Amino acid sequence: MAAEVPISILLGKLQKLLAEERFIFPGLRNRVVTAVNELEKILLFLRAAEPNHEKTRSSLLETRFLRTLYSAEHFTESFLLTTVERPLAFSSWRQLLFSFKMKKFVECVRAVSTAFGETQSQPLEDMTHYSITEVRRCRLRHNLVDVGKKLVARLINDNDVSLCVISLFSEEALGNTTLARNVYDRQDIQQHFECRAWLQVSGDLEYKDLLCTILKQFPKSVLKDLELMSEKELSDMLFQFLMERRFLIVLDDVQTVDVWRKLVHPFADAVNGSRVILTTRKLMVALLADTGSSPLKLMPSIEQESDVLHKVIEHVQTVARGDAVEKLVARLINDKDESLRVISVVGKEALGETALARSVYNRLEIRRHFPWRVWLHVSRDLTYMDLLLIILKQLPRCVLKDLELMSEKELSDMLFKFLMEQRFLIVLDDVQTVDVWLKLFRPFADAVNGSRVILTTRDLDVAKGVDPWSSPLELRPLTEQESWSLFLKEVGIQEYNTDLLNNVRAEDIQSICDGLPQAILLLGGVLSTIELKEWSRVVIDLTHQSKDQGQSPLSKIVDFSFYLLPSVLKPCFLYLALFPKAYEIPIRRLLHLWLAEGFVQFLPDVSIPEDEAKIYLEVLVCRNMIEIARWKSDGSPKTCLMPSFLYDHFLQKAKDIGFLHVHHSKLDSVCTSTDSPEFHILRLADQFGVKSNCTMKSHIRKLRSYVSFNSQKRDTSNNGIGMLLKTIITKRGFVLLKVLDLEGVYKPMLPAKLGKLQNLKYIGLRWTGLDKCPDSIGDLPCLETLDLKYTNINNLPSSIWNAKKLRHLYMNELSIEIPKESSQNLQTLMDLHIGANSPKDYGLDKFTSLRKLGLTCHSKSAEETAKCILQLGNLQTLKLKSRDPFGQPINLVLEPMKEHRSLSNLYLFGDFVADVRRKLSGDKLLTNMWEFPPSH
């Protein structure tokens, strides 16, 4: 692991450099190519080594080589910045200096590569190369499980005895025939239908041939000289036979409506529950086959996959702990016990207590039963006052007034008063001592209204001490059969189809994973991304490793999962350790940060970076290395986190290799430590504020990213951040800072010369309460994301349009001057306020690449706004408001947008005009309603 992550990041930068065509010295390009080749060779050697041989690798790739890699990344990034400062040509002097440094670097890399060659005969094939195939297989695995369950349910639905046609539709080869065949061969399906027939509908066969093919699959007693019969006689015979039996017929690969209309004639409806399965790639065929039955669609795309992925994740969690889930839900909504009760969930070493609590916490019936819910991860680093603030900030906004200025007693009293009036559910995750619980419990009011507290812990004594009237829910390791069932659900294989597993057995999974649900999910996630024929080899290797008593089963699986992770995804995964443990990271924020860091590899003018970032996230979720914490109303993920057992494992490793530094305790400051860090700090996460002497330390001279999580007003971090930024601007060596994420920090002091940070790509100021943005913000040539949402900033300088690479602009209903020329890069514009003015006055028609738009208009401009939106052909998400100066809804026009071809998510606020009001109801998310967007 030590060198693979920095090598991967450096490779991305060098390959970007090779795309430049402005080299003066021919030898420089050759040296860059050589460096790329040698680094790729080292990566292959690293992957060829066993994942648990970390000590062997570190002897070859020790700290000195890591420092060399980080140094090369630094001078490469500095050189790349000159492409922005000097767009026409590289400085010859800079090229000469860079060439000299690259020569030294190539010599070092070759020495390391040679050392590897002496210990390994040859590098193995890159088995972890990132490809779209893995992503598609991962998505499709979840979708096939979901569609297969629906198909079986509709086939044996005893409440519908009429003949039904169930269409399996996919626009490309996604396995609808395979799915149909698997269901067709199921034992329960064979028992349910008296006769079955499978027909491959070839375009070369005549109607008579098709009839004969079906009839020949039925009992021989009815088969008499079929070839001598006429077409009508065959059709009548089939009709008569089907009238007397419950049948299942599969028509595979139907390509035209005419073929279907011919075939359906002899299919008798004896009202006995007979069924027809039709597979096709033609949507019209699927729709017309049975107008009373909606098609089942196999969906590989990101937008369509999210809802399916959500359902399958919930289903797998239920399989893992089905009995525990039901017990916990029953105790939460027990109407016979109205007193406040604490339900403890106890489990040791990744038995899934947190996952169980979260799955129940997000269930629909729980959300409906408890009007107010709070999730609190009880970190050792947080004080009692910190915990109170976290809870109170999840209350309705109307009660939140100057919380940070209140005393501990005032906060406790406010929480008690609020809880007396509400039925609440509070989850306290990872409580480690009884003392913590005794403090937290004080403001939890018992209004005898059925409120509940869920407490997760690994200490049974803590669980027994919190509520003597409520017995703990103790989780145990899964049995062999339970482990096997969970594994099969995770890899998307039915129990009747285990012959596909190539000798992978239930006892193997139990031996490797020791009944730990998290280990099983990790193993299943990894195996699902590789070919079935490789599974037995992987399982054999892991079985042999499981005999090693020096490492726990979970640790082995965790290391193995990271080892097989594609190199481009490893920095993305480790980046989550920059956030506090169990911190729910907004998906929006994480993807923008990955892009700003340069972790996402894409081909310019071929792929869209944001789509590639979504794919990276999907792969990590499918591998169960990232957990989705909350979902939006449309089924797409809203927040995510690194599971706690992975966070504990990888935080220290990420720090050891110099990838990041986390100032996660008031007693553990990077700035007060007497020992200098092993490496220059590249990424710094600060939870408790910047100390004054921090700005003088040389080990932050090469800082790339600064992320702060300190949101308390009474803290001095506001001034500290200002001093840090001033130091970065005035001192040499700080020019490469590219991420400044201050989301939630109260009114940080931003220097007027912020524009001097020429490499800055991400500025996150959401929820900061800032009143003003520096005018120099438009002087940032590399800026890609500017987030001013939920601030008090009411004016943005027009110079912002000088940032030609700007892709995402989040505002708080601001008016802004129009750009002088069209913006081809802008993807997100939230929220622009145009009032009664024409949208063209604000240059809306110039943002032709927009995919997400938030807009507030007036009834006077509503129709022109709708016409302008129609011209934004790439728009996918629209948040449209029409209101008067007092915030009241007024007329909103939608009719001109009816023909929009790409819009899929629509959020509306306003008074819809009469012809639309009849079809739309209320302010809610609308998808594919009123032919919006039209079907195509």
Side-chain angles (χ1 to χ4, degrees):
M1 172 180 169
E4 191 172 354
V5 173
I7 286 176
S8 176
I9 295 173
L10 178 57
L11 272 174
K13 290 179 170 56
L14 293 177
Q15 288 163 348
K16 180 180 178 181
L17 184 60
L18 287 175
E20 296 288 346
E21 300 293 340
R22 293 171 285 169
F23 290 105
I24 296 176
F25 303 108
L28 176 54
R29 174 177 290 277
N30 294 336
R31 285 174 180 169
V32 175
V33 170
T34 302
V36 168
N37 292 337
E38 295 296 331
L39 288 172
E40 288 178 341
K41 188 185 299 183
I42 291 176
L43 272 183
L44 293 179
F45 280 124
L46 285 171
R47 292 168 189 153
E50 291 295 328
N52 58 335
H53 290 174
E54 193 72 31
K55 293 181 180 179
T56 303
R57 281 192 252 167
S58 62
S59 63
L60 290 171
L61 293 167
E62 53 191 10
T63 302
R64 186 173 60 182
F65 182 55
L66 285 173
R67 285 176 175 164
T68 301
L69 289 172
Y70 288 128
S71 175
E73 181 191 351
H74 181 77
F75 69 67
T76 301
E77 184 95 26
S78 300
F79 186 66
L80 281 169
L81 188 57
T82 64
T83 67
V84 177
E85 297 174 343
R86 300 173 181 271
L88 297 180
F90 291 142
S91 161
S92 56
W93 166 248
R94 286 181 180 271
Q95 285 203 40
L96 186 61
L97 181 61
F98 181 71
S99 180
F100 175 77
K101 292 180 178 179
M102 187 56 64
K103 178 183 177 182
K104 293 289 186 182
F105 176 67
V106 167
E107 291 173 355
C108 177
V109 173
R110 273 182 170 162
V112 173
S113 179
T114 301
F116 265 116
E118 293 173 354
T119 58
Q120 179 97 25
S121 58
Q122 63 178 3
L124 298 181
E125 181 184 358
D126 183 2
M127 298 298 293
T128 62
H129 181 68
Y130 169 75
S131 71
I132 196 68
T133 304
E134 174 187 339
V135 180
R136 292 170 61 82
R137 187 187 299 126
C138 181
R139 291 184 195 149
L140 196 54
R141 167 170 56 93
H142 289 301
N143 184 237
L144 284 173
V145 172
D146 188 63
V147 174
K149 287 170 52 186
K150 291 179 180 178
L151 177 58
V152 172
R154 287 165 70 169
L155 287 173
I156 59 178
N157 179 13
D158 295 329
N159 295 324
D160 188 356
V161 293
S162 299
L163 175 64
C164 290
V165 180
I166 307 168
S167 298
L168 288 178
F169 163 68
S170 64
E171 294 176 345
E172 49 186 311
L174 297 179
N176 46 358
T177 297
T178 302
L179 176 60
R181 174 64 71 179
N182 288 340
V183 171
Y184 180 83
D185 290 335
R186 282 174 61 124
Q187 186 173 3
D188 53 346
I189 296 298
Q190 294 181 38
Q191 293 174 349
H192 187 75
F193 294 99
E194 298 174 55
C195 60
R196 299 173 306 130
W198 183 285
L199 178 63
Q200 174 70 37
V201 185
S202 170
D204 299 332
L205 293 178
E206 298 290 338
Y207 178 52
K208 183 177 178 179
D209 298 328
L210 298 175
L211 292 174
C212 286
T213 303
I214 295 175
L215 284 165
K216 285 179 180 179
Q217 298 180 60
F218 292 148
K220 295 179 181 179
S221 58
V222 302
L223 305 180
K224 297 178 182 179
D225 301 321
L226 294 181
E227 287 78 5
L228 301 178
M229 292 183 181
S230 67
E231 189 175 282
K232 184 179 185 305
E233 288 174 326
L234 291 170
S235 180
D236 291 343
M237 174 183 283
L238 180 58
F239 179 86
Q240 184 178 356
F241 181 83
L242 296 182
M243 276 296 293
E244 301 171 358
R245 293 165 178 81
R246 180 194 291 157
F247 63 85
L248 170 63
I249 297 178
V250 178
L251 303 177
D252 185 34
D253 196 20
V254 178
Q255 300 182 26
T256 68
V257 176
D258 291 339
V259 170
W260 159 248
R261 285 174 177 165
K262 273 190 176 183
L263 284 170
V264 77
H265 289 161
F267 292 172
D269 186 1
V271 195
N272 61 1
S274 293
R275 298 289 186 264
V276 175
I277 299 175
L278 180 148
T279 73
T280 182
R281 295 192 194 179
K282 306 294 183 181
L283 179 59
M284 190 58 65
V285 174
L287 292 172
L288 294 179
D290 187 346
T291 55
S293 176
S294 58
L296 295 175
K297 184 175 182 180
L298 273 64
M299 307 174 297
S301 69
I302 297 172
E303 293 77 11
Q304 294 167 321
E305 169 65 15
S306 57
D307 186 50
V308 173
L309 185 59
H310 182 189
K311 293 177 182 176
V312 173
I313 288 174
E314 285 189 340
H315 177 65
V316 169
Q317 290 172 341
T318 303
V319 170
R321 294 293 184 190
D323 55 340
V325 168
E326 297 307 319
K327 289 178 182 178
L328 183 54
V329 170
R331 291 170 66 173
L332 287 174
I333 58 179
N334 180 10
D335 295 330
K336 296 180 180 179
D337 189 355
E338 294 293 321
S339 298
L340 174 64
R341 286 286 174 255
V342 182
I343 307 168
S344 297
V345 182
V346 187
K348 295 182 178 179
E349 196 188 17
L351 283 175
E353 63 274 13
T354 297
L356 170 66
R358 192 176 292 283
S359 67
V360 171
Y361 179 84
N362 286 327
R363 286 171 70 111
L364 180 61
E365 66 265 41
I366 297 299
R367 298 201 305 265
R368 288 174 173 171
H369 188 74
F370 296 98
W372 185 69
R373 300 173 306 132
V374 164
W375 184 284
L376 175 64
H377 177 76
V378 185
S379 170
R380 286 182 176 180
D381 298 328
L382 298 176
T383 65
Y384 175 55
M385 187 167 181
D386 295 329
L387 298 174
L388 288 175
L389 284 169
I390 293 173
I391 295 175
L392 283 164
K393 286 180 178 180
Q394 297 180 60
L395 293 175
R397 294 178 190 171
C398 58
V399 303
L400 302 181
K401 295 179 181 179
D402 298 322
L403 292 180
E404 291 84 357
L405 302 179
M406 294 182 180
S407 67
E408 188 175 284
K409 185 178 184 306
E410 289 173 325
L411 292 171
S412 182
D413 291 344
M414 173 185 281
L415 181 58
F416 180 87
K417 183 178 179 181
F418 182 84
L419 297 182
M420 278 297 294
E421 302 170 356
Q422 305 287 339
R423 179 196 291 154
F424 61 86
L425 170 63
I426 297 178
V427 178
L428 303 177
D429 182 38
D430 197 20
V431 178
Q432 300 180 30
T433 66
V434 177
D435 292 339
V436 171
W437 159 250
L438 292 176
K439 274 190 175 183
L440 281 171
F441 185 64
R442 293 172 191 167
F444 292 174
D446 186 2
V448 195
N449 60 1
S451 292
R452 297 287 186 267
V453 175
I454 298 176
L455 181 148
T456 73
T457 182
R458 295 188 179 184
D459 190 336
L460 185 58
D461 292 334
V462 173
K464 290 179 177 178
V466 298
D467 189 345
W469 294 278
S470 179
S471 58
L473 186 61
E474 294 186 60
L475 302 184
R476 53 169 176 75
L478 300 181
T479 65
E480 182 176 299
Q481 183 56 45
E482 289 170 337
S483 297
W484 184 240
S485 297
L486 176 59
F487 174 75
L488 293 179
K489 290 293 182 184
E490 174 59 25
V491 298
I493 293 178
Q494 302 293 334
E495 292 204 30
Y496 63 84
N497 224 2
T498 53
D499 291 343
L500 297 172
L501 292 178
N502 195 16
N503 295 322
V504 176
R505 302 165 301 172
E507 51 265 38
D508 297 327
I509 302 303
Q510 187 70 0
S511 172
I512 295 169
C513 301
D514 204 23
L516 299 177
Q518 305 295 350
I520 296 169
L521 293 176
L522 277 177
L523 178 60
V526 170
L527 291 179
S528 297
T529 63
I530 61 180
E531 296 294 337
L532 278 169
K533 62 183 180 182
E534 298 289 335
W535 286 22
S536 59
R537 178 182 62 82
V538 170
V539 168
I540 290 172
D541 290 345
L542 287 173
T543 302
H544 290 160
Q545 291 179 30
S546 65
K547 298 175 182 178
D548 178 12
Q549 300 300 319
Q551 195 177 17
S552 69
L554 182 63
S555 295
K556 291 184 179 71
I557 299 296
V558 166
D559 286 340
F560 181 72
S561 298
F562 188 82
Y563 164 68
L564 281 188
L565 198 63
S567 294
V568 294
L569 297 182
K570 289 182 177 178
C572 297
F573 171 70
L574 290 181
Y575 200 78
L576 275 77
L578 202 62
F579 294 81
K581 184 177 180 179
Y583 185 91
E584 293 188 16
I585 312 166
I587 301 294
R588 161 215 26 105
R589 185 180 184 183
L590 181 64
L591 298 187
H592 290 335
L593 287 169
W594 282 353
L595 289 164
E597 289 278 1
F599 296 156
V600 180
Q601 297 182 12
F602 60 94
L603 296 175
D605 302 324
V606 175
S607 57
I608 298 176
E610 289 77 10
D611 287 349
E612 288 296 313
K614 286 182 182 178
I615 291 174
Y616 283 25
L617 176 68
E618 256 187 282
V619 174
L620 290 168
V621 171
C622 286
R623 286 172 174 258
N624 295 303
M625 301 186 76
I626 288 182
E627 177 184 339
I628 300 299
R630 297 178 193 265
W631 301 80
K632 296 180 182 178
S633 58
D634 64 353
S636 60
K638 182 177 182 179
T639 63
C640 67
L641 51 83
M642 181 186 288
S644 295
F645 72 96
L646 292 179
Y647 188 92
D648 295 337
H649 191 88
F650 284 105
L651 173 61
Q652 189 59 48
K653 288 192 175 185
K655 293 166 68 174
D656 288 345
I657 66 171
F659 181 76
L660 54 80
H661 184 91
V662 178
H663 171 205
H664 56 81
S665 169
K666 291 178 179 178
L667 301 177
D668 173 32
S669 173
V670 61
C671 305
T672 58
S673 174
T674 55
D675 297 323
S676 297
E678 199 72 45
F679 310 100
H680 286 287
I681 293 176
L682 303 179
R683 299 170 187 89
L684 174 62
D686 180 31
Q687 190 171 348
F688 293 101
V690 182
K691 306 301 179 184
S692 59
N693 64 332
C694 181
T695 59
M696 303 306 293
K697 293 292 182 179
S698 61
H699 50 252
I700 66 167
R701 185 169 54 87
K702 296 184 178 180
L703 193 65
R704 299 283 198 284
S705 303
Y706 177 74
V707 184
S708 178
F709 299 97
N710 189 357
S711 59
Q712 298 185 32
K713 291 182 184 178
R714 63 178 74 235
D715 201 276
T716 59
S717 64
N718 312 341
N719 294 330
I721 290 173
M723 294 178 62
L724 173 65
L725 293 176
K726 286 181 179 178
T727 302
I728 289 174
I729 290 170
T730 57
K731 298 287 185 180
R732 294 186 61 186
F734 285 99
V735 294
L736 297 183
L737 184 76
K738 50 188 173 184
V739 169
L740 180 61
D741 189 350
L742 307 178
E743 185 165 325
V745 176
Y746 182 72
K747 293 192 175 181
M749 295 180 60
L750 299 182
K753 296 182 179 180
L754 189 67
K756 285 187 173 292
L757 300 176
Q758 293 286 286
N759 204 39
L760 205 55
K761 297 182 178 181
Y762 179 98
I763 302 178
L765 301 175
R766 184 175 292 227
W767 293 111
T768 57
L770 272 180
D771 300 311
K772 187 179 180 182
C773 195
D775 291 340
S776 63
I777 204 165
D779 299 332
L780 300 170
C782 296
L783 186 64
E784 296 175 357
T785 300
L786 176 61
D787 192 347
L788 306 176
K789 196 77 173 172
Y790 306 118
T791 64
N792 298 320
I793 297 173
N794 53 27
N795 185 37
L796 191 62
S798 59
S799 61
I800 188 62
W801 303 121
N802 294 335
K804 301 301 182 183
K805 295 186 178 181
L806 186 66
R807 299 181 67 84
H808 306 281
L809 178 58
Y810 298 90
M811 305 181 294
N812 219 30
E813 293 197 15
L814 296 185
S815 297
I816 186 171
E817 294 183 29
I818 63 172
K820 296 180 180 179
E821 54 188 49
S822 62
S823 175
Q824 299 297 323
N825 290 321
L826 197 66
Q827 303 282 307
T828 304
L829 181 59
M830 305 283 289
D831 287 306
L832 179 66
H833 186 278
I834 65 173
N837 300 317
S838 167
K840 293 184 179 181
D841 292 345
Y842 294 86
L844 191 61
D845 57 325
K846 296 183 178 181
F847 302 129
T848 54
S849 298
L850 272 182
R851 306 174 85 190
K852 184 181 293 186
L853 173 64
L855 197 62
T856 301
C857 65
H858 189 275
S859 57
K860 294 180 180 179
S861 60
E863 184 169 358
E864 190 176 356
T865 297
K867 292 178 180 178
C868 187
I869 289 171
L870 179 61
Q871 299 174 15
L872 302 178
N874 295 308
L875 196 64
Q876 298 173 359
T877 298
L878 174 64
K879 184 177 181 181
L880 184 60
K881 301 177 185 178
S882 178
R883 65 187 189 192
D884 63 21
F886 303 101
Q888 297 303 308
I890 52 179
N891 285 350
L892 186 63
V893 179
L894 298 180
E895 177 68 26
M897 292 187 290
K898 184 177 179 180
E899 298 303 320
H900 204 292
R901 306 301 298 179
S902 62
L903 195 58
S904 57
N905 292 323
L906 181 60
Y907 301 78
L908 301 175
F909 178 87
D911 186 8
F912 307 130
V913 292
D915 61 327
V916 178
R917 191 185 295 120
R918 290 193 300 268
K919 299 175 182 178
L920 303 180
S921 56
D923 307 327
K924 59 184 180 180
L925 171 67
L926 303 171
T927 305
N928 295 326
M929 184 177 291
W930 187 49
E931 294 188 4
F932 199 115
S935 58
H936 53 281

